């Protein structure tokens, strides 16, 4: 797990599972498009603004009445939905990003680049309609600048007052605008803390908007991340529950169209503004939207794991930080938000999100001092009982069938554990878990830290054993399919390694060796969650994404979702769906090989008492 300096009690959960593109419908009025005439709203003059059936005839009549009632109900429901209200309400404050003062307020800088169409090597479709094995030629464009980590430092810096300047070469043309915004301490007299942040713009002719590496793609999309049509308004949520100092990377891809008959036009941005809405912004489920995913394929063996046309879907967002997922066979996922001290439940059948347990890791009076007081790793024991690593309480607990909590481990040799992080059961019921100090307010230097080391522990037949102190930050932990080996990842920027141990029947470890070393890989992230598939391949949260490593220690490739995945769990009926807890979001990705999971038949778990 990554240490996140966010302290906030969880807000109420909104069980809304509609896609982001539905949150801000376009205005009912249609804008008449006249070539060369700007009919979109003009930029505000100020960069900042603050604001408070027996017969056929009978059947026909009944059908008409029912249709009218349904239409009224649908219209009323839509009119009173939080999204529709947000779309129509006046924001508490706005920032005009087409002014120098507005851009300065968010500490931003507009950068610009044209694009080029290039020919690339690709694959012709196979029997399944997906890219196959026959080489062919295709077309792409360069640069691909949607990801937040794209380096646009050498791009042209443009004056925000010239956003409406005609750019590109005209005719069939594409371009990029990029700006990183920082949520300010104040917008006039308005405190933006906790606001829902909306970005609104219009480009002549089309645009796609990337927010922190992500662009949702939904069927029937109308406005939002992908524009509806000529000169239409893009209006989308770019932040929920924002806080001063938070940064958001925007990348706007402009297109001159129609593509089928390129006009004698150029590309320009008509306006760009931020809206701050003081409305509840807690976690929210969305319709599973397909979002962009990049797969770096380093070895042909990865093609048997990751489909040729990979897909990844966002399920929920707006969390402070997500961790420790576990799949429950009856069709739902549990996962932690350690920063919010909450365990959430995501129901796959209906796409609803709910709170499974509040105060999931701590309820002490000094909770405000903690960055991550809540639960982290979750798993099931061989009897299907939920087991929880509780950061703030320095312990591992088990939830019994009636909801009562049993403490499995909280002290070793009379000293309190640090903050149990990740955990895994062996098939005989022996529990192994890692215990770095990441849940403590001052981490390694915290006065609450009683153990002089970060350990790996095993609870075997009721006895707690210290089985390793090799790593500074032991984190992710997983067994090989035959349970002969135990893998432990290290969250240490100076030593990003995976250790592999041989495991004895009495739970002792031996012959510990460095299985894989990522220390030289670029990126700030060290090693977090680890899961394994039935062929023995490791899936490791490492620098830059999710690394796939063979059982022989060969790096096969890397999955790079929009948000960095810190932990993962296998789910679905066939065990081939990989669920990823990624910073403030939850994703799922279908793969070709089932993974190892606590695949025990359990009824719906009891709520924790």
């Amino acid at each position: 797990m990554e240490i996140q300096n966010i302290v906030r009690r969880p807000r109420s959960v909104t069980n809304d599972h509609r896609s982001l593109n539905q949150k801000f419908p376009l205005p009912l009025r249609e804008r008449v498009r006249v070539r060369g005439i700007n009919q979109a709203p003009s930029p505000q003059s100020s960069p900042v603004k603050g604001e408070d059936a027996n017969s056929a005839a009978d059947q026909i009549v009944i059908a008409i009445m029912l249709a009218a009632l349904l239409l009224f109900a649908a219209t009323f429901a839509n009119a009173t939905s939080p999204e529709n209200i947000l779309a129509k309400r006046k924001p508490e404050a706005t920032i005009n990003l087409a002014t120098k003062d507005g851009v300065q307020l968010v500490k931003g800088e507009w950068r610009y680049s044209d694009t080029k169409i290039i020919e690339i090597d690709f694959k012709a479709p196979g029997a399944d309609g997906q890219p196959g094995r026959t080489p062919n030629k295709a077309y792409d464009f360069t640069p691909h600048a949607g990801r937040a980590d794209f380096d646009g430092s050498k791009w042209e810096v443009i004056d925000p007052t010239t956003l409406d300047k005609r750019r590109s070469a005209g005719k069939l043309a594409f371009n990029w605008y990029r700006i990183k915004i920082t949520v300010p301490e104040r917008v006039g007299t308005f405190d933006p803390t906790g606001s829902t942040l909306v970005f609104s713009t219009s480009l002549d002719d089309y645009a796609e908007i990337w927010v922190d590496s992500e662009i949702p793609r939904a069927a029937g999309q109308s406005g939002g991340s992908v524009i509806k049509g000529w000169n239409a308004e893009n209006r989308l949520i770019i932040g929920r529950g924002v806080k001063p100092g938070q940064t958001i990377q925007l990348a706007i891809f402009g297109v001159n169209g129609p593509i089928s008959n390129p006009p004698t036009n150029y590309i320009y941005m008509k306006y760009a503004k931020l809206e701050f809405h003081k409305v509840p912004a807690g976690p929210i489920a969305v319709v599973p939207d397909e979002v962009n995913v990049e797969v770096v394929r380093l070895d042909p063996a990865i093609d048997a794991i990751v489909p040729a046309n990979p897909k990844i879907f966002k399920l929920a967002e707006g969390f402070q930080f997500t961790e420790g997922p576990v799949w429950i066979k009856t069709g739902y996922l549990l996962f932690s938000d350690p920063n919010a001290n909450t365990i959430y439940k995501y129901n796959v059948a209906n796409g609803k999100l709910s709170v499974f347990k509040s105060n999931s890791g701590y309820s002490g009076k000094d909770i405000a001092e903690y960055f991550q007081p809540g639960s982290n790793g979750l798993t099931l024991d061989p009897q299907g009982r939920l087991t929880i690593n509780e950061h703030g309480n320095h312990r591992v607990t088990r939830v019994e069938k009636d909801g009562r909590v049993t403490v499995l481990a909280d002290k070793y040799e009379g000293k309190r554990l640090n903050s149990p992080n990740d955990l895994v059961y062996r098939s005989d019921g022996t529990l192994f878990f890692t215990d770095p100090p990441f849940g403590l307010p001052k981490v390694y230097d915290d006065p609450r830290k009683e153990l002089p080391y970060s350990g790996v522990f095993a609870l075997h037949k009721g006895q707690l054993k210290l089985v390793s102190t090799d790593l500074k930050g032991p984190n992710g932990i997983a067994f090989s399919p035959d349970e002969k080996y135990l893998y432990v990842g290290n969250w240490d920027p100076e030593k990003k390694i995976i250790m592999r141990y041989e495991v004895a029947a009495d739970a002792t470890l031996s012959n510990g060796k460095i299985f894989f070393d990522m220390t030289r890989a670029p990126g700030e992230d060290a090693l977090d969650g680890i899961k394994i598939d039935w062929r023995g391949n490791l899936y490791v949260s490492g620098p830059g994404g999710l690394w796939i490593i063979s059982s022989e220690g060969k790096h096969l490739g890397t999955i790079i979702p929009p948000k960095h995945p810190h932990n993962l769990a296998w789910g679905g009926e066939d065990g081939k769906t990989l669920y990823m807890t990624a910073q403030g979001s939850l994703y799922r990705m279908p793969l070709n090989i089932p993974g190892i999971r606590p695949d025990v038949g359990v009824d719906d778990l009891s709520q924790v008492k």
Side-chain angles (χ1 to χ4, degrees):
M1 58 121 259
E2 180 186 17
I3 301 170
Q4 297 289 304
N5 297 335
I6 305 172
V7 183
R8 190 169 68 222
R9 291 295 184 118
R11 296 180 179 272
S12 59
V13 175
T14 305
N15 290 328
D16 182 354
H17 44 87
R18 281 169 288 184
S19 60
L20 287 176
N21 60 281
Q22 294 172 300
K23 306 222 180 286
F24 298 101
L26 292 170
L28 295 179
R29 65 186 185 279
E30 284 292 331
R31 305 185 188 281
V32 179
R33 184 179 190 278
V34 179
R35 178 67 61 184
I37 299 178
N38 181 357
Q39 294 187 327
S42 60
Q44 301 177 24
S45 58
S46 173
V48 178
K49 181 178 181 181
E51 303 182 350
D52 316 313
N54 290 326
S55 66
D58 289 339
Q59 293 176 9
I60 292 173
V61 171
I62 291 172
I64 292 173
M65 292 176 65
L66 287 173
L69 287 171
L70 290 172
L71 179 60
F72 173 78
T75 303
F76 179 78
N78 183 59
T80 57
S81 69
E83 298 76 22
N84 203 41
I85 292 173
L86 186 61
K88 293 180 178 180
R89 72 186 299 277
K90 291 183 178 180
E92 276 66 29
T94 63
I95 298 177
N96 187 355
L97 296 180
T99 66
K100 293 181 179 179
D101 289 344
V103 169
Q104 183 177 6
L105 183 61
V106 297
K107 302 178 182 178
E109 185 178 63
W110 281 106
R111 289 185 176 268
Y112 174 85
S113 174
D114 284 331
T115 70
K116 294 180 180 179
I117 297 174
I118 58 174
E119 189 176 54
I120 63 168
D121 294 324
F122 198 57
K123 303 288 185 181
D128 60 355
Q130 303 300 321
R133 298 180 180 277
T134 305
N136 71 352
K137 293 290 185 180
Y139 292 98
D140 201 348
F141 68 89
T142 186
H144 283 270
R147 291 195 58 85
D149 56 3
F150 177 83
D151 183 7
S153 60
K154 296 182 180 179
W155 283 12
E156 174 190 2
V157 178
I158 59 175
D159 185 329
T161 63
T162 67
L163 286 179
D164 60 352
K165 176 183 177 180
R166 275 56 173 170
R167 290 183 165 88
S168 78
K171 294 292 284 183
L172 183 61
F174 312 88
N175 66 8
W176 285 104
Y177 300 85
R178 283 175 59 92
I179 185 171
K180 178 181 284 188
I181 67 169
T182 300
V183 178
E185 295 287 338
R186 292 275 173 178
V187 184
T189 60
F190 175 72
D191 179 0
T193 303
S195 299
T196 296
L197 183 55
V198 174
F199 176 63
S200 177
T201 190
S202 178
L203 267 70
D204 191 332
D205 284 307
Y206 304 88
E208 297 173 357
I209 301 176
W210 296 65
V211 183
D212 283 338
S213 301
E214 187 170 284
I215 178 170
R217 290 175 286 172
Q221 197 153 11
S222 177
S225 59
V226 180
I227 204 163
K228 178 180 180 181
W230 290 333
N231 298 287
E233 181 181 40
N234 289 73
R235 182 179 170 84
L236 69 160
I237 295 173
I238 64 171
R240 301 180 188 273
V242 299
K243 59 186 182 298
Q246 177 181 342
T247 61
I248 301 171
Q249 176 67 61
L250 298 178
I252 299 97
F253 183 66
V255 182
N256 191 32
I259 307 302
S260 58
N261 184 22
T264 57
N265 243 31
Y266 306 90
I267 303 171
Y268 65 98
M269 190 179 299
K270 296 183 175 184
Y271 62 90
K273 61 182 180 179
L274 299 174
E275 296 180 357
F276 293 85
H277 294 264
K278 203 70 172 180
V279 297
I284 184 172
V286 298
V287 166
D289 287 331
E290 182 186 347
V291 295
N292 49 291
V293 61
E294 180 181 350
V295 178
V296 179
R297 299 175 186 266
L298 302 177
D299 188 281
I302 197 175
D303 296 337
I305 300 171
V306 182
N309 186 14
K311 305 284 185 180
I312 189 169
F313 300 87
K314 176 188 277 188
L315 306 178
E317 65 178 359
F319 305 95
Q320 294 184 40
F321 194 70
T322 52
E323 259 287 3
V326 62
W327 172 259
I328 310 302
K329 205 170 184 178
T330 48
Y332 62 92
L333 191 81
L334 296 179
F335 59 97
S336 298
D337 186 333
N339 298 42
N341 200 16
T342 303
I343 295 174
Y344 290 98
K345 176 181 178 180
Y346 177 79
N347 191 308
V348 173
N350 58 24
K352 288 187 177 180
L353 180 73
S354 59
V355 171
F356 182 82
K357 175 176 170 50
S358 300
N359 297 326
S360 63
Y362 196 50
S363 55
K365 294 182 179 180
D366 60 345
I367 191 171
E369 298 179 23
Y370 285 75
F371 300 142
Q372 294 191 326
S375 60
N376 197 309
L378 308 174
T379 193
L380 302 177
D381 74 357
Q383 287 74 49
R385 294 171 294 188
L386 179 65
T387 305
I388 305 172
N389 278 347
E390 301 182 12
H391 269 180
N393 289 327
H394 310 263
R395 67 185 189 179
V396 184
T397 59
R398 183 181 66 214
V399 182
E400 307 300 338
K401 295 296 184 179
D402 62 1
R404 291 180 298 108
V405 174
T406 298
V407 177
L408 299 180
D410 60 353
K411 292 181 180 180
Y412 179 71
E413 295 182 342
K415 296 181 179 180
R416 296 189 72 181
L417 299 174
N418 295 317
S419 53
N421 188 287
D422 210 345
L423 69 173
V424 64
Y425 276 100
R426 195 166 61 178
S427 57
D428 67 350
T430 301
L431 175 65
F432 291 78
F433 64 91
T434 56
D435 186 43
F438 301 148
L440 301 178
K442 297 181 180 179
V443 196
Y444 294 102
D445 299 323
D446 197 279
R448 301 167 183 82
K449 189 176 187 299
E450 297 182 10
L451 294 174
Y453 46 75
S454 298
V456 178
F457 291 90
L459 184 62
H460 178 66
K461 296 183 178 180
Q463 180 184 359
L464 186 62
K465 296 182 176 183
L466 177 63
V467 294
S468 174
T469 58
D470 293 339
L471 302 175
K472 180 180 180 181
N475 202 315
I477 187 169
F479 275 108
S480 60
D482 59 7
E483 297 186 340
K484 179 181 177 181
Y485 297 111
L486 182 71
Y487 297 93
V488 182
N490 191 31
W491 183 276
D492 181 358
E494 304 299 322
K495 197 174 184 181
K496 306 175 185 180
I497 62 172
I498 304 170
M499 293 293 294
R500 187 178 75 176
Y501 302 92
E502 293 181 12
V503 190
D506 66 355
T508 57
L509 305 182
S510 62
N511 297 324
K513 298 179 181 179
I514 295 179
F515 174 74
F516 199 88
D517 192 340
M518 303 182 191
T519 305
R520 295 185 179 181
E524 297 180 358
D525 291 295
L527 276 62
D528 208 324
I530 299 176
K531 293 295 185 290
I532 296 179
D533 67 28
W534 278 109
R535 294 185 183 176
N537 299 304
L538 284 72
Y539 299 69
V540 184
S541 171
L546 188 64
W547 293 48
I548 301 179
I549 303 168
S550 73
S551 58
E552 291 77 31
K554 186 174 185 179
H555 185 193
L556 305 181
T558 303
I559 297 172
I560 308 175
K563 307 288 186 183
H564 186 79
H566 283 268
N567 219 321
L568 49 151
W570 297 99
E573 292 185 3
D574 58 4
K576 295 181 181 179
T577 300
L578 193 64
Y579 286 87
M580 304 181 207
T581 50
Q583 297 177 333
S585 300
L586 177 67
Y587 300 98
R588 66 170 170 84
M589 184 175 186
L591 297 177
N592 295 332
I593 299 175
I596 298 174
R597 58 183 177 176
D599 200 9
V600 292
V602 295
D603 296 327
D604 194 41
L605 294 177
S606 298
Q607 295 279 14
V608 184
K609 290 184 179 179

